[in-house]
Each structure stands twice: as C-alpha cells, then as structure tokens.
Amino acid sequence: MSAKDQSLTVVRDGHNLYERLLNFGAWVARLLRLPFASTKSTTVRWLAKQMTGSDDIGDERALVPMERVLEEVRTNNATSLSYVYFNTLSRRCLANRSMEQGYFAEHPEVAEVPVERPVFVLGFPRTGTTIMQNLLAQEPGRRTLQFWELTRPVPTHPDLEVDRARRIKATQGDLDIALRCAPEMLQMHHITPTSSEECWPLFSNSFAALNTDISQGLRRYGDWLLEQDMTWAYREYRERLKMLLHRLPADQLVLKCPEHLWFLDALLEVFPDACIVWTHREPVACIASYCSMVSLNVRTVFGRYDGPELGRHITRRFHQGVTRAMAVRDRVGEDRFFDADFRELVSDPLGMVEKINDRFGLACSPE
C-alpha cells in the first residue's frame, strides 16, 4: 500500500476474507435451496411467520415494495451473501409488522399517544445532522431514538430493563457482523446500540426506505419509490413513534434522517406541526464523504463498487432530494423551516440551538 493509499478511509473495493467465507456459505445455501437464502416472497413470509407465530402484517401494501426489493436482488448481479442479507432483512421487517399488530391490539391506548411538534433534523449526510440532533435533544423532556429501538422497535418483554437489555444485545450482535464486513465504518461514523441514529430503519418495516437504493445499491427500487405517494408509509411511521413513546415517554422527539428531504410533502401531510431544521454544508465535501461511507454497503451487496460511478449516482440522487424539497418549501412557505449552516454550527453550537428554539418557540431551560 502506498503512502497515498494509507491516507484513504476505504482502501478495499472487494470483499475481505470474512465476507468471502460468508459469501461461499451463502452460495452453498442457495445451491441447496435452503429457505434463509431464498428471495421468493412466499418463502420469506413463511419464515417470518415461524418467527412470530402470526402472518398478520397489517396493511399488505408493504408486500409490493418488498417484492420489488427481492426481485432486484435476483436480477441485479448481487452476491449470494446479499440473498441471505435481504432475506434476513425482509423477514425481520415482516416479523416486526406482525409484532406491531400484536402490541397495538394489547395496548389500544397507543393510538392516543401524542406526537407533538416533533423536530426533524434533515439535510444531507455529513452536514452536521448528528451533532445537531444530539444538541437539540439535551433539553429536558426531549429525546432521540437510539439504534436498538430503531432496528428492533417492538417490545418483547413486559419488564422495561429486561426488554431493553435483550434488544440492545441483539443489536450489538448485528453490529459485530457488520463491522467485521466493513471495519472502516468505525472511522467514518461511530455507532453503538445506544447511539442516536437516523430513523430510516422504521421505514424499512414498510419497505419504504430510500436507503435501500442510496446505501445498498438497489437503484431500480429507488427509481420506483420516488414515484410513489409515501403518505401511507409516514402514517405507519407515526404509529411506530407512538409505540416507542408509549414505552419510553418524552414531551418531544428529535428525529433525523436525510431521506425526509425526498419525501417532505408526505412528512408535512402527516406531521403538520413539525419543526424542520435543515442543515447545509458545501456539497462537494459531504457527497465525497458520504460516497466513502455507502461504498462499504455497496461493496458487501455486489462484491465490489465503482467509485466514480457511485459518485455520479449519489450526486444525482442528492440533486433530486434538494429539488423535491425546495418545491415543497416553495409551496408551504418558510414558517416551518430553519436553515443551519454547518460552519456556524461548529463555531457556535449553543448559539445555534438558541436560534432554533427561538425560531419555533420551543422550550429552552437555563441549563
């Protein structure tokens, strides 16, 4: 490796030994037609039912995007490892949906839990969204969503501490596997089961996450999703927020996810009282940084990645996100928005928080 290569975060464009071994095992599983390596929706649904004992997944329109994801895996030169990965992800999402139905039936009061004036931090990745979210969440009564409850949103035990420990342990197991496949991730974005993270995993349970395209490379699915009315997915997302608040209450949620830029119309339809903080940074820096990060997932899904081509795709998607969001903003007006410059956020974070609280008339304690 040259001195220049040593300065790069991502120095490998193909699978490491661990991934090659996993991929070989997945290839054998496909050869033997084992269920966990299948991308047939009927098989995935059967596996999900084995996990929960129920095939009630609520609104079955979620099956349409699920089939599109699985079909693209079958026809897009994805690795055998990806067959297992998307099978696992899909049946987990279906299982989450079944568990949600059980939780809602057992706790009908969830429907009355308020989601009042949520703060949405949106902006492209690497524009300060993480620090912004964590700063805003310091106010008493506010809270973020942690990775363990985003990826495993449905309680599994009546005791709060036992339930939390179980879900954190399972989430740590997922992270351990992911970091063995992509150890570079720790240099780019420090993530633990209890860190505050983007809320796109909640949309995965509706199979309505653009992350499946921009971070995992299923582009035909992304093209299709951008043509859909996402209002139904945002309504399901709101119900999941109610469930999470029912378990761990807060006066106000501070949420973050760049995907909201692409679907701002649906967000405001479902959350008309939302407070939107839009972070901004010079785009070349954030696009280059983000491409490095998502290349790790694309590398796992397809075995390798093409850096320049990935950069062109991410640039196109980001341009679509800004264009779509600005069109909504022009239509609804400026009252719901605050623009946060990355340079000001870094130089005066406390002043930035005070401006945001003042803009939206939010509580601001002396501490």
Side-chain angles (χ1 to χ4, degrees), residues 34-108:
L34 298 181
F36 67 85
S38 171
T39 55
K40 292 182 178 179
S41 56
T42 52
T43 302
V44 172
R45 290 198 69 178
W46 177 80
L47 288 170
K49 184 178 180 180
Q50 306 312 302
M51 294 172 67
T52 64
S54 171
D55 59 0
D56 179 9
I57 62 168
D59 192 338
E60 294 203 351
R61 79 179 82 183
L63 296 176
V64 175
M66 182 189 79
E67 178 54 42
R68 285 188 170 269
V69 168
L70 296 175
E71 188 272 338
E72 187 165 352
V73 173
R74 291 193 297 269
T75 61
N76 204 20
N77 296 318
T79 62
S80 293
L81 178 57
S82 294
Y83 278 63
V84 174
Y85 170 74
F86 282 103
N87 175 300
T88 302
L89 179 64
S90 297
R91 58 187 155 96
R92 180 181 295 177
C93 292
L94 289 179
N96 282 340
R97 294 182 68 84
S98 292
M99 293 165 64
E100 286 171 359
Q101 298 309 305
Y103 193 84
F104 294 148
E106 185 177 352
H107 302 280

Side-chain angles (χ1 to χ4, degrees), residues 146-204:
Q146 296 183 354
F147 193 57
W148 65 272
E149 57 184 336
L150 287 165
T151 55
R152 285 177 166 75
V154 189
T156 60
H157 193 280
D159 184 277
L160 285 173
E161 290 306 313
V162 172
D163 177 60
R164 184 175 185 274
R166 283 183 177 181
R167 288 195 275 165
I168 287 176
K169 182 178 180 180
T171 302
Q172 184 61 61
D174 292 340
L175 283 175
D176 290 342
I177 295 173
L179 290 174
R180 289 198 66 179
C181 291
E184 304 100 321
M185 182 59 71
L186 285 178
Q187 301 176 53
M188 301 181 187
H189 178 65
H190 183 68
I191 183 171
T192 70
T194 56
S195 58
S196 301
E197 298 297 334
E198 296 174 356
C199 53
W200 65 262
L202 295 181
F203 287 91
S204 289

